[in-house]
Amino acid sequence: MRLANGIVLDKEKTFGVLKFSALRHEVRAENDDGSTSEEITRRTYDLKCSVQERMIQVSIPADIPVKDYPYNAEVELVNPVADTVTNASYRGVNVDWYIKADDIILKNKGSQAGNPQNHAPQGQPKK
């Protein structure tokens, strides 16, 4: 069972500052015979999360290019959603939560490029 559209998250309240760590793993599709194919369906990344005070894993679609940001680069999620997968067992129901997003981008990358008047001059002599 799955939530139809997941739970839309408030990025600032849920995550605070996110810092890039590494690619955790790639999920591959299964062939008809149950073996693993070469087709990648999604990639999961480790991100340091200031609000959760721990590492979180975020999955993005495989059609997004591989992220190779510097370690500890500040990033943000595009359209993050919390979703669940539930499995019934003889003891009840197990629920696994996961976070998926449309993309992981460098924070403020777009606002810094092409807008140099927003930056204070560096290295001004003190009087």
Side-chain angles (χ1 to χ4, degrees), residues 27-80:
V27 177
R28 298 182 185 272
E30 284 187 7
N31 294 319
D32 292 336
D33 64 358
S35 63
T36 304
S37 76
E38 292 299 313
E39 177 190 357
I40 298 171
T41 58
R42 69 179 184 268
R43 292 182 180 91
T44 301
Y45 293 87
D46 284 336
L47 305 176
K48 296 178 184 179
C49 180
S50 66
V51 171
Q52 302 299 321
E53 297 181 342
R54 65 183 183 95
M55 195 77 74
I56 63 169
Q57 288 78 45
V58 178
S59 294
I60 62 173
D63 59 339
I64 302 298
V66 174
K67 304 300 175 183
D68 191 23
Y69 298 137
Y71 184 73
N72 276 342
E74 195 169 335
V75 295
E76 72 179 286
L77 302 176
V78 177
N79 300 323

